[in-house]
Short mmCIF file of all heavy atoms in Angstrom, two decimals:
data_model
loop_
_atom_site.label_atom_id
_atom_site.label_comp_id
_atom_site.label_asym_id
_atom_site.label_seq_id
_atom_site.Cartn_x
_atom_site.Cartn_y
_atom_site.Cartn_z
N GLY B 1 -22.45 -0.17 22.98
CA GLY B 1 -22.04 0.95 23.83
C GLY B 1 -21.02 0.59 24.88
O GLY B 1 -20.68 1.42 25.72
N THR B 2 -20.51 -0.64 24.84
CA THR B 2 -19.49 -1.07 25.82
C THR B 2 -18.25 -1.55 25.09
O THR B 2 -18.24 -1.68 23.86
CB THR B 2 -20.01 -2.22 26.71
OG1 THR B 2 -20.06 -3.43 25.93
CG2 THR B 2 -21.38 -1.91 27.29
N ALA B 3 -17.21 -1.87 25.85
CA ALA B 3 -16.00 -2.44 25.28
C ALA B 3 -16.16 -3.94 24.99
O ALA B 3 -15.28 -4.56 24.43
CB ALA B 3 -14.82 -2.23 26.24
N ASP B 4 -17.30 -4.50 25.38
CA ASP B 4 -17.57 -5.93 25.21
C ASP B 4 -18.51 -6.21 24.05
O ASP B 4 -19.20 -7.24 24.04
CB ASP B 4 -18.18 -6.50 26.50
CG ASP B 4 -17.27 -6.33 27.70
OD1 ASP B 4 -16.05 -6.46 27.54
OD2 ASP B 4 -17.79 -6.08 28.80
N LEU B 5 -18.57 -5.35 23.07
CA LEU B 5 -19.48 -5.50 21.93
C LEU B 5 -19.31 -6.86 21.25
O LEU B 5 -18.19 -7.26 20.94
CB LEU B 5 -19.24 -4.38 20.91
CG LEU B 5 -20.07 -4.44 19.63
CD1 LEU B 5 -21.55 -4.21 19.93
CD2 LEU B 5 -19.56 -3.43 18.62
N VAL B 6 -20.42 -7.54 21.03
CA VAL B 6 -20.43 -8.78 20.25
C VAL B 6 -21.29 -8.49 19.02
O VAL B 6 -22.51 -8.43 19.10
CB VAL B 6 -21.00 -9.96 21.05
CG1 VAL B 6 -21.04 -11.22 20.17
CG2 VAL B 6 -20.17 -10.21 22.30
N THR B 7 -20.62 -8.28 17.88
CA THR B 7 -21.30 -7.92 16.64
C THR B 7 -21.78 -9.18 15.94
O THR B 7 -20.99 -10.08 15.65
CB THR B 7 -20.35 -7.14 15.72
OG1 THR B 7 -19.90 -5.97 16.42
CG2 THR B 7 -21.03 -6.74 14.43
N VAL B 8 -23.07 -9.25 15.67
CA VAL B 8 -23.66 -10.41 14.99
C VAL B 8 -23.55 -10.18 13.49
O VAL B 8 -23.95 -9.14 12.96
CB VAL B 8 -25.12 -10.62 15.43
CG1 VAL B 8 -25.71 -11.82 14.71
CG2 VAL B 8 -25.21 -10.82 16.94
N VAL B 9 -22.96 -11.17 12.80
CA VAL B 9 -22.67 -11.06 11.37
C VAL B 9 -23.11 -12.33 10.65
O VAL B 9 -23.51 -13.31 11.27
CB VAL B 9 -21.16 -10.84 11.15
CG1 VAL B 9 -20.72 -9.48 11.68
CG2 VAL B 9 -20.34 -11.96 11.79
N LYS B 10 -23.00 -12.31 9.33
CA LYS B 10 -23.25 -13.47 8.47
C LYS B 10 -21.98 -13.76 7.68
O LYS B 10 -21.24 -12.83 7.33
CB LYS B 10 -24.39 -13.18 7.47
CG LYS B 10 -25.77 -13.10 8.09
CD LYS B 10 -26.31 -14.49 8.24
CE LYS B 10 -27.79 -14.43 8.60
NZ LYS B 10 -28.37 -15.71 8.83
N PRO B 11 -21.69 -15.03 7.36
CA PRO B 11 -20.53 -15.34 6.53
C PRO B 11 -20.58 -14.58 5.21
O PRO B 11 -21.64 -14.44 4.59
CB PRO B 11 -20.64 -16.85 6.30
CG PRO B 11 -21.41 -17.34 7.49
CD PRO B 11 -22.40 -16.24 7.79
N GLY B 12 -19.42 -14.08 4.80
CA GLY B 12 -19.32 -13.33 3.55
C GLY B 12 -19.58 -11.84 3.70
O GLY B 12 -19.31 -11.06 2.79
N GLN B 13 -20.07 -11.43 4.85
CA GLN B 13 -20.35 -10.02 5.09
C GLN B 13 -19.04 -9.26 5.32
O GLN B 13 -18.09 -9.80 5.90
CB GLN B 13 -21.25 -9.90 6.33
CG GLN B 13 -22.12 -8.70 6.36
CD GLN B 13 -23.15 -8.79 7.50
OE1 GLN B 13 -22.98 -9.49 8.49
NE2 GLN B 13 -24.21 -8.05 7.35
N VAL B 14 -18.97 -8.01 4.89
CA VAL B 14 -17.82 -7.15 5.12
C VAL B 14 -18.00 -6.46 6.47
O VAL B 14 -19.09 -5.98 6.78
CB VAL B 14 -17.67 -6.11 3.99
CG1 VAL B 14 -16.57 -5.10 4.32
CG2 VAL B 14 -17.40 -6.79 2.66
N VAL B 15 -16.92 -6.43 7.25
CA VAL B 15 -16.93 -5.73 8.53
C VAL B 15 -15.88 -4.62 8.44
O VAL B 15 -14.75 -4.86 8.02
CB VAL B 15 -16.59 -6.67 9.70
CG1 VAL B 15 -16.61 -5.91 11.02
CG2 VAL B 15 -17.54 -7.85 9.75
N SER B 16 -16.26 -3.40 8.82
CA SER B 16 -15.35 -2.26 8.82
C SER B 16 -15.25 -1.69 10.22
O SER B 16 -16.27 -1.46 10.86
CB SER B 16 -15.83 -1.18 7.85
OG SER B 16 -15.74 -1.63 6.53
N TRP B 17 -14.02 -1.47 10.67
CA TRP B 17 -13.77 -0.88 11.98
C TRP B 17 -13.19 0.52 11.80
O TRP B 17 -12.33 0.74 10.96
CB TRP B 17 -12.73 -1.69 12.75
CG TRP B 17 -13.17 -3.00 13.29
CD1 TRP B 17 -13.67 -3.26 14.54
CD2 TRP B 17 -13.09 -4.28 12.64
NE1 TRP B 17 -13.90 -4.61 14.68
CE2 TRP B 17 -13.56 -5.25 13.52
CE3 TRP B 17 -12.67 -4.67 11.36
CZ2 TRP B 17 -13.62 -6.59 13.20
CZ3 TRP B 17 -12.72 -6.02 11.03
CH2 TRP B 17 -13.19 -6.96 11.94
N THR B 18 -13.66 1.45 12.64
CA THR B 18 -13.16 2.82 12.66
C THR B 18 -13.00 3.25 14.11
O THR B 18 -13.81 2.87 14.96
CB THR B 18 -14.16 3.79 11.97
OG1 THR B 18 -14.44 3.32 10.66
CG2 THR B 18 -13.59 5.19 11.88
N ALA B 19 -11.97 4.03 14.41
CA ALA B 19 -11.78 4.59 15.76
C ALA B 19 -11.98 6.09 15.69
O ALA B 19 -11.46 6.76 14.79
CB ALA B 19 -10.40 4.25 16.29
N LEU B 20 -12.72 6.60 16.65
CA LEU B 20 -12.95 8.05 16.75
C LEU B 20 -12.66 8.51 18.18
O LEU B 20 -13.00 7.82 19.14
CB LEU B 20 -14.41 8.38 16.41
CG LEU B 20 -14.89 8.04 15.01
CD1 LEU B 20 -16.39 8.28 14.90
CD2 LEU B 20 -14.14 8.86 13.98
N ALA B 21 -12.07 9.68 18.31
CA ALA B 21 -11.80 10.25 19.62
C ALA B 21 -12.98 11.11 20.07
O ALA B 21 -13.60 11.78 19.24
CB ALA B 21 -10.53 11.09 19.57
N VAL B 22 -13.29 11.06 21.36
CA VAL B 22 -14.35 11.90 21.91
C VAL B 22 -14.00 13.37 21.71
O VAL B 22 -14.82 14.17 21.28
CB VAL B 22 -14.58 11.60 23.42
CG1 VAL B 22 -15.56 12.58 24.03
CG2 VAL B 22 -15.08 10.17 23.59
N ASP B 23 -12.76 13.72 22.00
CA ASP B 23 -12.26 15.08 21.82
C ASP B 23 -11.54 15.12 20.48
O ASP B 23 -10.54 14.42 20.29
CB ASP B 23 -11.31 15.43 22.96
CG ASP B 23 -10.65 16.78 22.80
OD1 ASP B 23 -10.94 17.50 21.81
OD2 ASP B 23 -9.83 17.13 23.65
N LEU B 24 -12.01 15.90 19.56
CA LEU B 24 -11.44 15.91 18.21
C LEU B 24 -10.01 16.42 18.15
O LEU B 24 -9.34 16.28 17.14
CB LEU B 24 -12.34 16.72 17.27
CG LEU B 24 -13.74 16.15 17.09
CD1 LEU B 24 -14.57 17.05 16.19
CD2 LEU B 24 -13.70 14.74 16.56
N GLN B 25 -9.52 17.01 19.24
CA GLN B 25 -8.13 17.49 19.28
C GLN B 25 -7.16 16.36 19.63
O GLN B 25 -5.95 16.54 19.51
CB GLN B 25 -8.00 18.60 20.33
CG GLN B 25 -8.87 19.80 20.05
CD GLN B 25 -8.44 20.54 18.79
OE1 GLN B 25 -7.27 20.62 18.47
NE2 GLN B 25 -9.41 21.08 18.07
#
Protein backbone atom coordinates (compact mmCIF):
# COMPACT_ATOMS: atom_id res chain seq x y z
CA GLY A 1 0.00 0.00 0.00
CA THR A 2 3.01 2.33 -0.16
CA ALA A 3 5.52 3.47 -2.78
CA ASP A 4 8.15 1.43 -0.89
CA LEU A 5 6.70 -2.02 -1.68
CA VAL A 6 9.20 -4.86 -1.34
CA THR A 7 7.70 -7.83 -3.19
CA VAL A 8 8.95 -11.21 -1.97
CA VAL A 9 9.54 -13.61 -4.86
CA LYS A 10 11.23 -16.90 -5.76
CA PRO A 11 13.77 -17.42 -8.60
CA GLY A 12 12.04 -18.37 -11.84
CA GLN A 13 8.76 -16.75 -10.82
CA VAL A 14 7.05 -14.38 -13.30
CA VAL A 15 6.43 -10.83 -12.08
CA SER A 16 3.84 -8.63 -13.83
CA TRP A 17 3.48 -4.90 -13.27
CA THR A 18 0.36 -2.87 -14.10
CA ALA A 19 -0.44 0.82 -13.52
CA LEU A 20 -3.96 2.00 -12.78
CA ALA A 21 -5.26 5.53 -12.28
CA VAL A 22 -7.48 6.34 -9.30
CA ASP A 23 -9.66 8.46 -11.59
CA LEU A 24 -10.51 6.44 -14.69
CA GLN A 25 -10.63 9.63 -16.79
